[in-house]
Amino acid sequence: MTKKVALIVGSLRKDSLNRKFANELVAQAPSSLQIEFVEIADLPMYNQDLDDANTPPAAWTAFRDKLRGVDGVLLFTPEYNRGIPGVLKNAIDVGSRPWGKSIWAGKPAGVLSASVGAVGGFGANMQVRQCMVTLNAPTMPGPEVYIGMGTSLLGADGKVENEKTKETLKKYAEAFAHWVEANAPKA
Ligand code: FNR
C-alpha cells in the first residue's frame, strides 16, 4: 500500500547539498512511497505563549496539519558547528507542541545528513535522532547515511553523479519503506 512521507530539509540555501541528495533519494525511492517536501523556512520561531493563548501562527498550524496527515517523515540535515541547524530544531519544536498534541509521536522517522566535510554531518544526525527518539517517533536505526565530501559526488549539472551514493540512497529508501510499513500506527 502507498505510504505518504514528508521530507524535511534542514537547510534554507538555494544550492543546498542536502536538498540535492534529498532529490536523489526521491528519485530512487520505491513507488510505494509518495514523498512530498515540506518546507520550514517560514515557520516563526517557537514561542509557547502563542500556543498557551491559543493563537498559533498560521504557518505553525499548516505545518502541524501537513505532518499529521503523513505516514512517515524523513529529515535531511546539514551540520552547523557539530549540531542541528536552528531552522530544523525550530521545526521539530513547533511540531512537538502543544503538549500532548505532538505530531511526531508514533510517526516513523528517518534521519540522513550531508556535509561538505568528511564526517558527513554525523554530529547533527545524532542530535536529530536524539530529538526524534525522545519525541516517541520510531526512528530507523539503520542503514545509517552520513554523506561526506558532498560536493565531490555531484556532476556539473548539480545532480548526484556518484553511482555508489545513488545506490546508498536507493537502499535507504527501500529500508525506510519497510520501516514505515512495520511501524505504522495500528488503526
Ligand atoms: C557549517 N558547515 C559544517 N560542516 C560540517 O561538516 N560540520 C560542521 O560543524 C559545520 N559547521 C557549519 C556551521 C555553519 C554556521 C555553516 C554555515 C556551515 C559546512 C556545511 O557542511 C556546509 O555549509 C553545507 O553545504 C551545509 O549544508 P547545505 O546547506 O549545503 O545543505
Side-chain angles (χ1 to χ4, degrees), residues 2-6 34 36 38 61-73 102-104 107-108 185:
T2 306
K3 296 288 183 193
K4 279 197 207 172
V5 171
Q34 190 187 318
E36 185 189 344
V38 174
T61 304
F63 178 76
R64 290 165 175 166
D65 288 347
K66 179 134 280 199
L67 266 290
R68 208 166 276 121
V70 297
D71 302 301
V73 62
S102 168
I103 47 132
W104 309 117
K107 187 87 66 197

Side-chain angles (χ1 to χ4, degrees), residues 2-8 32-38 66-75 103-111 132 137-140 176-177 179-181 183-185:
T2 306
K3 296 288 183 193
K4 279 197 207 172
V5 171
L7 202 170
I8 296 174
S32 62
L33 290 186
Q34 190 187 318
I35 305 177
E36 185 189 344
F37 284 86
V38 174
K66 179 134 280 199
L67 266 290
R68 208 166 276 121
V70 297
D71 302 301
V73 62
L74 287 165
L75 303 114
I103 47 132
W104 309 117
K107 187 87 66 197
V111 184
M132 299 314 286
T139 306
M140 188 165 77
F176 190 67
W179 183 257
V180 173
E181 201 69 54
N183 291 282

Side-chain angles (χ1 to χ4, degrees), residues 9-21 76-83 85 114-124 147-149 151:
V9 176
S11 169
L12 307 187
R13 217 163 67 82
K14 66 175 170 16
D15 282 331
S16 163
L17 285 174
N18 281 273
R19 189 169 292 269
K20 286 174 180 158
F21 291 109
F76 230 116
T77 186
E79 179 173 81
Y80 280 6
N81 304 310
R82 296 282 181 250
S115 158
V116 293
V119 187
F122 176 83
I147 301 173
M149 314 305 275
T151 29

